[in-house]
């Protein structure tokens, strides 16, 4: 069967004033895939996520979901079927877990399925149900990451974007969260993540891209990237 391209980034350019953060980045994510973009600090990973979400201006190029161009307003991008769990989680600290999750469903308007989806998110992250009335700012780092992912899922995205989900978390917590991402993918959500933690990201994903100072320099099946000598030396601690 022919695989369907769900998300496509074509020749994307983004600048911050005189700083060119992305210089013609292209990538494809097929329906059902987990794809990771690895790269060092400052490579442009967050900029790529934020440009897909229209949180920064796309200077040139386009982003397509199932062939349809993504609009230039973030809430419209969410309505079109893409949501982001942002770098540093950015949960709403003075709101409860439940209120944060409801915020994620906000772009859906008065969709009655929201209640079902709350149960879906609680089934993925039972911990969030235990903490339903707790202020998000009082959660642990791992719980805040679960909440950020849950909040993004409440938009019922076709593609879930994740910006550094492992950032600042202990290895055992990272393992739990990545296991949950695999389950979310098995339930039909296509995933694109950017990570400095290249090994974990490639172990989770089907394919990977390497972003270096605003350019894609390599791509391939994750197992090939994991076995690649240059990538090992540059991104996998040389092992
Ligand atoms: P990190 O993992 O540190 O977030 P990254 O790969 O996500 O790195 P970006 O945050 O996308 O990289 O940054 C890409 C480049 O753009 C860097 O040179 C960065 O300094 C610059 N940059 C990012 N945001 C801004 C901004 N708001 N204003 C000016 N320059 C920026």
């Amino acid at each position: 069967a022919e695989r369907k391209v769900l998300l496509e980034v074509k020749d994307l350019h983004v600048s911050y004033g005189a700083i060119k953060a992305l210089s013609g980045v292209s990538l494809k994510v097929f329906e059902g895939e987990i794809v990771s973009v690895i790269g060092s600090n400052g490579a442009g990973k967050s900029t790529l996520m934020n440009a897909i979400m229209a949180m920064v201006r796309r200077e040139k190029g386009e982003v397509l979901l199932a062939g349809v161009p993504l609009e230039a307003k973030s809430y419209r991008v969410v309505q079109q079927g893409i949501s982001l769990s942002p770098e540093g989680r950015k949960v709403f600290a003075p709101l409860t877990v439940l209120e944060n999750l409801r915020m994620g469903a906000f772009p859906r308007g008065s969709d009655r399925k929201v209640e079902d989806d709350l149960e879906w998110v609680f089934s993925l992250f039972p911990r969030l149900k235990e903490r339903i009335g707790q202020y998000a700012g009082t959660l642990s780092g791992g719980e805040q990451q679960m909440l950020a992912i849950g909040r993004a899922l409440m938009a019922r995205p076709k593609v879930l974007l994740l910006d550094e989900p492992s950032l600042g978390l202990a290895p055992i917590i990272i393992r739990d969260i990545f296991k949950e991402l695999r389950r979310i993918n098995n339930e039909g959500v296509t995933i694109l993540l950017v990570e400095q933690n290249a090994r974990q990201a490639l172990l989770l994903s089907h394919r990977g891209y390497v972003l270096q100072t605003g350019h894609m320099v390599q791509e391939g099946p994750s197992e090939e990237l994991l076995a690649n000598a240059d990538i090992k030396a540059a991104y996998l601690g040389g092992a």
Side-chain angles (χ1 to χ4, degrees):
E2 185 75 354
R3 288 199 304 169
K4 177 178 161 199
V5 177
L6 190 52
L7 179 69
E8 182 165 17
V9 175
K10 281 164 99 170
D11 191 33
L12 186 62
H13 292 249
V14 175
S15 300
Y16 302 103
I19 299 168
K20 187 109 199 189
L22 296 180
S23 308
V25 165
S26 298
L27 68 82
K28 281 180 187 172
V29 182
F30 292 93
E31 192 167 47
E33 264 191 322
I34 305 179
V35 170
S36 56
V37 175
I38 62 170
S40 325
N41 216 341
K45 303 182 300 298
S46 295
T47 300
L48 172 61
M49 297 281 102
N50 294 337
I52 294 171
M53 293 308 300
M55 287 155 60
V56 300
R57 200 175 73 86
R58 306 178 202 121
E59 183 183 335
K60 178 169 179 265
E62 57 180 352
V63 187
L64 306 164
L65 182 71
V68 178
L70 290 184
E71 295 186 24
K73 286 208 173 6
S74 300
Y75 76 92
R76 283 292 302 144
V77 173
V78 177
Q79 289 173 340
Q80 285 183 281
I82 307 204
S83 62
L84 169 70
S85 172
E87 182 173 30
R89 333 195 211 288
K90 304 207 171 63
V91 296
F92 303 112
L95 300 186
T96 65
V97 165
L98 181 62
E99 288 165 343
N100 269 271
L101 292 174
R102 288 196 185 285
M103 293 291 276
F106 188 73
R108 294 167 60 176
S110 59
D111 179 345
R112 287 214 233 83
K113 295 238 166 55
V114 166
E115 295 307 311
D116 297 344
D117 291 340
L118 270 175
E119 287 311 313
W120 176 53
V121 168
F122 288 140
S123 76
L124 294 166
F125 298 112
R127 199 55 181 243
L128 294 180
K129 190 160 191 177
E130 290 165 21
R131 307 233 181 278
I132 189 165
Q134 199 169 316
Y135 292 116
T138 67
L139 299 175
S140 71
E143 290 164 349
Q144 289 193 11
Q145 186 59 64
M146 293 172 198
L147 181 56
I149 295 169
R151 183 183 55 186
L153 289 176
M154 286 302 294
R156 267 291 176 182
K158 295 190 174 71
V159 183
L160 173 66
L161 306 182
L162 299 142
D163 190 345
E164 303 251 9
S166 79
L167 191 71
L169 301 180
I172 186 161
I173 310 286
I174 298 173
R175 270 201 300 279
D176 281 353
I177 289 196
F178 278 39
K179 205 162 72 190
E180 228 41 56
L181 292 177
R182 191 179 296 278
R183 181 164 158 212
I184 289 164
N185 176 247
N186 284 337
E187 297 199 10
V189 182
T190 299
I191 294 179
L192 175 65
L193 78 157
V194 299
E195 263 292 348
Q196 276 194 60
N197 190 335
R199 185 186 306 280
Q200 292 293 339
L202 291 172
L203 285 170
L204 174 74
S205 55
H206 304 103
R207 286 188 308 116
Y209 289 83
V210 183
L211 184 64
Q212 205 174 291
T213 55
H215 300 266
M216 286 300 188
V217 294
Q218 209 154 5
E219 65 171 284
S222 297
E223 63 265 32
E224 279 177 25
L225 298 180
L226 279 164
N228 179 289
D230 294 337
I231 290 176
K232 278 187 184 173
Y235 298 104
L236 303 174

